[in-house]
PDB file of all heavy atoms in Angstrom:
ATOM      1  N   SER A   1     -58.143  37.228   3.569  1.00 45.00           N
ATOM      2  CA  SER A   1     -58.482  36.994   2.173  1.00 45.00           C
ATOM      3  C   SER A   1     -58.959  35.584   1.956  1.00 45.00           C
ATOM      4  O   SER A   1     -58.901  34.766   2.852  1.00 45.00           O
ATOM      5  CB  SER A   1     -57.287  37.296   1.288  1.00 45.00           C
ATOM      6  OG  SER A   1     -56.254  36.398   1.571  1.00 45.00           O
ATOM      7  N   THR A   2     -59.392  35.238   0.755  1.00 42.00           N
ATOM      8  CA  THR A   2     -59.900  33.914   0.449  1.00 42.00           C
ATOM      9  C   THR A   2     -58.909  32.804   0.869  1.00 42.00           C
ATOM     10  O   THR A   2     -57.723  33.003   0.820  1.00 42.00           O
ATOM     11  CB  THR A   2     -60.152  33.791  -1.061  1.00 42.00           C
ATOM     12  OG1 THR A   2     -60.590  32.452  -1.389  1.00 42.00           O
ATOM     13  CG2 THR A   2     -58.914  34.120  -1.911  1.00 42.00           C
ATOM     14  N   ASP A   3     -59.457  31.697   1.362  1.00 43.00           N
ATOM     15  CA  ASP A   3     -58.688  30.643   1.958  1.00 43.00           C
ATOM     16  C   ASP A   3     -58.377  29.517   0.929  1.00 43.00           C
ATOM     17  O   ASP A   3     -58.043  28.384   1.297  1.00 43.00           O
ATOM     18  CB  ASP A   3     -59.459  30.079   3.129  1.00 43.00           C
ATOM     19  CG  ASP A   3     -58.570  29.174   4.013  1.00 43.00           C
ATOM     20  OD1 ASP A   3     -57.323  29.373   3.981  1.00 43.00           O
ATOM     21  OD2 ASP A   3     -59.101  28.310   4.702  1.00 43.00           O
ATOM     22  N   ARG A   4     -58.447  29.804  -0.330  1.00 44.00           N
ATOM     23  CA  ARG A   4     -58.170  28.794  -1.320  1.00 44.00           C
ATOM     24  C   ARG A   4     -56.626  28.539  -1.377  1.00 44.00           C
ATOM     25  O   ARG A   4     -55.827  29.460  -1.415  1.00 44.00           O
ATOM     26  CB  ARG A   4     -58.592  29.237  -2.721  1.00 44.00           C
ATOM     27  CG  ARG A   4     -60.087  29.340  -2.876  1.00 44.00           C
ATOM     28  CD  ARG A   4     -60.466  29.890  -4.172  1.00 44.00           C
ATOM     29  NE  ARG A   4     -60.030  31.303  -4.335  1.00 44.00           N
ATOM     30  CZ  ARG A   4     -60.314  32.018  -5.380  1.00 44.00           C
ATOM     31  NH1 ARG A   4     -60.960  31.534  -6.396  1.00 44.00           N
ATOM     32  NH2 ARG A   4     -59.910  33.297  -5.371  1.00 44.00           N
ATOM     33  N   PRO A   5     -56.228  27.250  -1.357  1.00 43.00           N
ATOM     34  CA  PRO A   5     -54.814  26.963  -1.417  1.00 43.00           C
ATOM     35  C   PRO A   5     -54.183  27.358  -2.757  1.00 43.00           C
ATOM     36  O   PRO A   5     -54.879  27.354  -3.816  1.00 43.00           O
ATOM     37  CB  PRO A   5     -54.762  25.437  -1.200  1.00 43.00           C
ATOM     38  CG  PRO A   5     -56.078  24.936  -1.705  1.00 43.00           C
ATOM     39  CD  PRO A   5     -57.000  26.049  -1.352  1.00 43.00           C
ATOM     40  N   GLU A   6     -52.903  27.674  -2.740  1.00 43.00           N
ATOM     41  CA  GLU A   6     -52.262  28.024  -3.990  1.00 43.00           C
ATOM     42  C   GLU A   6     -52.035  26.783  -4.809  1.00 43.00           C
ATOM     43  O   GLU A   6     -51.810  25.705  -4.280  1.00 43.00           O
ATOM     44  CB  GLU A   6     -50.891  28.659  -3.685  1.00 43.00           C
ATOM     45  CG  GLU A   6     -51.018  30.005  -2.919  1.00 43.00           C
ATOM     46  CD  GLU A   6     -49.691  30.661  -2.747  1.00 43.00           C
ATOM     47  OE1 GLU A   6     -48.725  30.158  -3.304  1.00 43.00           O
ATOM     48  OE2 GLU A   6     -49.666  31.740  -2.106  1.00 43.00           O
ATOM     49  N   PRO A   7     -52.106  26.906  -6.126  1.00 41.00           N
ATOM     50  CA  PRO A   7     -51.940  25.708  -7.000  1.00 41.00           C
ATOM     51  C   PRO A   7     -50.533  25.127  -6.813  1.00 41.00           C
ATOM     52  O   PRO A   7     -49.535  25.866  -6.680  1.00 41.00           O
ATOM     53  CB  PRO A   7     -52.144  26.224  -8.376  1.00 41.00           C
ATOM     54  CG  PRO A   7     -51.895  27.760  -8.274  1.00 41.00           C
ATOM     55  CD  PRO A   7     -52.367  28.112  -6.893  1.00 41.00           C
ATOM     56  N   ALA A   8     -50.475  23.808  -6.814  1.00 42.00           N
ATOM     57  CA  ALA A   8     -49.179  23.167  -6.690  1.00 42.00           C
ATOM     58  C   ALA A   8     -48.395  23.378  -7.986  1.00 42.00           C
ATOM     59  O   ALA A   8     -48.933  23.582  -9.034  1.00 42.00           O
ATOM     60  CB  ALA A   8     -49.376  21.632  -6.442  1.00 42.00           C
ATOM     61  N   ALA A   9     -47.118  23.200  -7.839  1.00 41.00           N
ATOM     62  CA  ALA A   9     -46.225  23.362  -9.056  1.00 41.00           C
ATOM     63  C   ALA A   9     -46.466  22.222  -9.975  1.00 41.00           C
ATOM     64  O   ALA A   9     -46.840  21.098  -9.616  1.00 41.00           O
ATOM     65  CB  ALA A   9     -44.767  23.337  -8.631  1.00 41.00           C
ATOM     66  N   VAL A  10     -46.300  22.453 -11.257  1.00 39.00           N
ATOM     67  CA  VAL A  10     -46.483  21.406 -12.289  1.00 39.00           C
ATOM     68  C   VAL A  10     -45.387  20.406 -12.197  1.00 39.00           C
ATOM     69  O   VAL A  10     -44.259  20.676 -11.778  1.00 39.00           O
ATOM     70  CB  VAL A  10     -46.586  22.051 -13.690  1.00 39.00           C
ATOM     71  CG1 VAL A  10     -47.767  22.973 -13.774  1.00 39.00           C
ATOM     72  CG2 VAL A  10     -45.271  22.819 -14.014  1.00 39.00           C
ATOM     73  N   ALA A  11     -45.691  19.202 -12.665  1.00 45.00           N
ATOM     74  CA  ALA A  11     -44.686  18.122 -12.621  1.00 45.00           C
ATOM     75  C   ALA A  11     -43.599  18.481 -13.672  1.00 45.00           C
ATOM     76  O   ALA A  11     -43.851  19.074 -14.706  1.00 45.00           O
ATOM     77  CB  ALA A  11     -45.354  16.800 -12.953  1.00 45.00           C
ATOM     78  N   GLY A  12     -42.392  18.018 -13.395  1.00 48.00           N
ATOM     79  CA  GLY A  12     -41.302  18.291 -14.310  1.00 48.00           C
ATOM     80  C   GLY A  12     -40.042  18.589 -13.507  1.00 48.00           C
ATOM     81  O   GLY A  12     -39.946  18.261 -12.346  1.00 48.00           O
ATOM     82  N   PRO A  13     -39.089  19.176 -14.180  1.00 52.00           N
ATOM     83  CA  PRO A  13     -37.766  19.463 -13.458  1.00 52.00           C
ATOM     84  C   PRO A  13     -38.076  20.384 -12.327  1.00 52.00           C
ATOM     85  O   PRO A  13     -38.873  21.320 -12.355  1.00 52.00           O
ATOM     86  CB  PRO A  13     -36.998  20.188 -14.558  1.00 52.00           C
ATOM     87  CG  PRO A  13     -37.547  19.748 -15.842  1.00 52.00           C
ATOM     88  CD  PRO A  13     -39.000  19.500 -15.607  1.00 52.00           C
ATOM     89  N   TRP A  14     -37.401  20.192 -11.195  1.00 56.00           N
ATOM     90  CA  TRP A  14     -37.567  20.978 -10.003  1.00 56.00           C
ATOM     91  C   TRP A  14     -36.802  22.231 -10.055  1.00 56.00           C
ATOM     92  O   TRP A  14     -35.817  22.363 -10.808  1.00 56.00           O
ATOM     93  CB  TRP A  14     -37.216  20.186  -8.715  1.00 56.00           C
ATOM     94  CG  TRP A  14     -35.788  19.617  -8.750  1.00 56.00           C
ATOM     95  CD1 TRP A  14     -35.439  18.337  -9.138  1.00 56.00           C
ATOM     96  CD2 TRP A  14     -34.573  20.289  -8.420  1.00 56.00           C
ATOM     97  NE1 TRP A  14     -34.073  18.223  -9.066  1.00 56.00           N
ATOM     98  CE2 TRP A  14     -33.526  19.380  -8.618  1.00 56.00           C
ATOM     99  CE3 TRP A  14     -34.217  21.632  -8.030  1.00 56.00           C
ATOM    100  CZ2 TRP A  14     -32.175  19.733  -8.480  1.00 56.00           C
ATOM    101  CZ3 TRP A  14     -32.924  21.923  -7.815  1.00 56.00           C
ATOM    102  CH2 TRP A  14     -31.906  21.030  -8.036  1.00 56.00           C
ATOM    103  N   ALA A  15     -37.295  23.220  -9.315  1.00 58.00           N
ATOM    104  CA  ALA A  15     -36.600  24.524  -9.186  1.00 58.00           C
ATOM    105  C   ALA A  15     -36.461  24.860  -7.734  1.00 58.00           C
ATOM    106  O   ALA A  15     -37.390  24.598  -6.976  1.00 58.00           O
ATOM    107  CB  ALA A  15     -37.451  25.628  -9.902  1.00 58.00           C
ATOM    108  N   ALA A  16     -35.315  25.354  -7.317  1.00 61.00           N
ATOM    109  CA  ALA A  16     -35.069  25.555  -5.936  1.00 61.00           C
ATOM    110  C   ALA A  16     -34.350  26.938  -5.720  1.00 61.00           C
ATOM    111  O   ALA A  16     -33.729  27.430  -6.669  1.00 61.00           O
ATOM    112  CB  ALA A  16     -34.220  24.439  -5.305  1.00 61.00           C
ATOM    113  N   THR A  17     -34.491  27.456  -4.519  1.00 65.00           N
ATOM    114  CA  THR A  17     -33.792  28.705  -4.200  1.00 65.00           C
ATOM    115  C   THR A  17     -32.462  28.431  -3.419  1.00 65.00           C
ATOM    116  O   THR A  17     -32.017  29.304  -2.687  1.00 65.00           O
ATOM    117  CB  THR A  17     -34.751  29.549  -3.372  1.00 65.00           C
ATOM    118  OG1 THR A  17     -35.195  28.830  -2.212  1.00 65.00           O
ATOM    119  CG2 THR A  17     -35.948  30.006  -4.132  1.00 65.00           C
ATOM    120  N   LEU A  18     -31.989  27.282  -3.547  1.00 71.00           N
ATOM    121  CA  LEU A  18     -30.741  26.936  -2.868  1.00 71.00           C
ATOM    122  C   LEU A  18     -29.533  27.280  -3.679  1.00 71.00           C
ATOM    123  O   LEU A  18     -29.443  27.101  -4.890  1.00 71.00           O
ATOM    124  CB  LEU A  18     -30.687  25.409  -2.646  1.00 71.00           C
ATOM    125  CG  LEU A  18     -31.738  24.792  -1.688  1.00 71.00           C
ATOM    126  CD1 LEU A  18     -31.677  23.303  -1.755  1.00 71.00           C
ATOM    127  CD2 LEU A  18     -31.548  25.306  -0.284  1.00 71.00           C
ATOM    128  N   PRO A  19     -28.450  27.830  -3.044  1.00 74.00           N
ATOM    129  CA  PRO A  19     -27.223  28.033  -3.717  1.00 74.00           C
ATOM    130  C   PRO A  19     -26.530  26.691  -3.948  1.00 74.00           C
ATOM    131  O   PRO A  19     -26.906  25.660  -3.283  1.00 74.00           O
ATOM    132  CB  PRO A  19     -26.404  28.920  -2.748  1.00 74.00           C
ATOM    133  CG  PRO A  19     -26.919  28.548  -1.403  1.00 74.00           C
ATOM    134  CD  PRO A  19     -28.434  28.261  -1.607  1.00 74.00           C
ATOM    135  N   PRO A  20     -25.512  26.593  -4.812  1.00 79.00           N
ATOM    136  CA  PRO A  20     -24.880  25.311  -5.057  1.00 79.00           C
ATOM    137  C   PRO A  20     -24.400  24.599  -3.805  1.00 79.00           C
ATOM    138  O   PRO A  20     -24.565  23.396  -3.664  1.00 79.00           O
ATOM    139  CB  PRO A  20     -23.727  25.698  -6.016  1.00 79.00           C
ATOM    140  CG  PRO A  20     -24.188  26.902  -6.709  1.00 79.00           C
ATOM    141  CD  PRO A  20     -25.003  27.660  -5.697  1.00 79.00           C
ATOM    142  N   ARG A  21     -23.788  25.337  -2.845  1.00 82.00           N
ATOM    143  CA  ARG A  21     -23.299  24.639  -1.644  1.00 82.00           C
ATOM    144  C   ARG A  21     -24.452  24.133  -0.771  1.00 82.00           C
ATOM    145  O   ARG A  21     -24.311  23.114  -0.106  1.00 82.00           O
ATOM    146  CB  ARG A  21     -22.433  25.619  -0.826  1.00 82.00           C
ATOM    147  CG  ARG A  21     -23.138  26.912  -0.320  1.00 82.00           C
ATOM    148  CD  ARG A  21     -22.181  27.746   0.392  1.00 82.00           C
ATOM    149  NE  ARG A  21     -22.849  28.942   0.947  1.00 82.00           N
ATOM    150  CZ  ARG A  21     -23.039  30.064   0.297  1.00 82.00           C
ATOM    151  NH1 ARG A  21     -22.607  30.192  -1.012  1.00 82.00           N
ATOM    152  NH2 ARG A  21     -23.633  31.129   0.817  1.00 82.00           N
ATOM    153  N   GLY A  22     -25.560  24.852  -0.823  1.00 81.00           N
ATOM    154  CA  GLY A  22     -26.727  24.380  -0.077  1.00 81.00           C
ATOM    155  C   GLY A  22     -27.298  23.147  -0.703  1.00 81.00           C
ATOM    156  O   GLY A  22     -27.699  22.169   0.017  1.00 81.00           O
ATOM    157  N   PHE A  23     -27.378  23.117  -2.037  1.00 82.00           N
ATOM    158  CA  PHE A  23     -27.851  21.931  -2.733  1.00 82.00           C
ATOM    159  C   PHE A  23     -26.959  20.676  -2.448  1.00 82.00           C
ATOM    160  O   PHE A  23     -27.487  19.631  -2.100  1.00 82.00           O
ATOM    161  CB  PHE A  23     -27.849  22.186  -4.197  1.00 82.00           C
ATOM    162  CG  PHE A  23     -28.088  20.978  -5.059  1.00 82.00           C
ATOM    163  CD1 PHE A  23     -29.329  20.369  -5.192  1.00 82.00           C
ATOM    164  CD2 PHE A  23     -27.012  20.389  -5.795  1.00 82.00           C
ATOM    165  CE1 PHE A  23     -29.525  19.247  -5.933  1.00 82.00           C
ATOM    166  CE2 PHE A  23     -27.274  19.294  -6.581  1.00 82.00           C
ATOM    167  CZ  PHE A  23     -28.491  18.722  -6.626  1.00 82.00           C
ATOM    168  N   ALA A  24     -25.648  20.889  -2.419  1.00 86.00           N
ATOM    169  CA  ALA A  24     -24.737  19.768  -2.222  1.00 86.00           C
ATOM    170  C   ALA A  24     -24.839  19.320  -0.768  1.00 86.00           C
ATOM    171  O   ALA A  24     -24.792  18.091  -0.463  1.00 86.00           O
ATOM    172  CB  ALA A  24     -23.254  20.260  -2.445  1.00 86.00           C
ATOM    173  N   ALA A  25     -25.127  20.288   0.185  1.00 87.00           N
ATOM    174  CA  ALA A  25     -25.258  19.908   1.583  1.00 87.00           C
ATOM    175  C   ALA A  25     -26.454  19.066   1.868  1.00 87.00           C
ATOM    176  O   ALA A  25     -26.320  18.056   2.589  1.00 87.00           O
ATOM    177  CB  ALA A  25     -25.274  21.203   2.476  1.00 87.00           C
ATOM    178  N   ILE A  26     -27.641  19.459   1.363  1.00 86.00           N
ATOM    179  CA  ILE A  26     -28.798  18.659   1.634  1.00 86.00           C
ATOM    180  C   ILE A  26     -28.747  17.293   1.017  1.00 86.00           C
ATOM    181  O   ILE A  26     -29.251  16.328   1.498  1.00 86.00           O
ATOM    182  CB  ILE A  26     -30.121  19.409   1.278  1.00 86.00           C
ATOM    183  CG1 ILE A  26     -30.183  19.649  -0.259  1.00 86.00           C
ATOM    184  CG2 ILE A  26     -30.229  20.634   2.040  1.00 86.00           C
ATOM    185  CD1 ILE A  26     -31.538  20.083  -0.719  1.00 86.00           C
ATOM    186  N   ARG A  27     -28.074  17.206  -0.170  1.00 86.00           N
ATOM    187  CA  ARG A  27     -27.893  15.899  -0.843  1.00 86.00           C
ATOM    188  C   ARG A  27     -26.985  15.022   0.110  1.00 86.00           C
ATOM    189  O   ARG A  27     -27.282  13.817   0.249  1.00 86.00           O
ATOM    190  CB  ARG A  27     -27.187  16.102  -2.145  1.00 86.00           C
ATOM    191  CG  ARG A  27     -28.044  16.772  -3.214  1.00 86.00           C
ATOM    192  CD  ARG A  27     -28.968  15.778  -3.928  1.00 86.00           C
ATOM    193  NE  ARG A  27     -28.161  14.777  -4.565  1.00 86.00           N
ATOM    194  CZ  ARG A  27     -28.668  13.643  -5.081  1.00 86.00           C
ATOM    195  NH1 ARG A  27     -29.937  13.364  -4.986  1.00 86.00           N
ATOM    196  NH2 ARG A  27     -27.896  12.746  -5.687  1.00 86.00           N
TER     197      ARG A  27
END
């Protein structure tokens, strides 16, 4: 299919798929 990159997320608060323990771990 077309090779156009997906648009980047808009600036602002971040959203993540991390559970709370994963968020605390990477911090």
Side-chain angles (χ1 to χ4, degrees):
S1 63
T2 178
D3 195 24
R4 292 175 295 183
E6 296 185 5
V10 296
W14 53 265
T17 55
L18 295 170
R21 62 181 182 275
F23 168 74
I26 64 168
R27 291 276 300 168

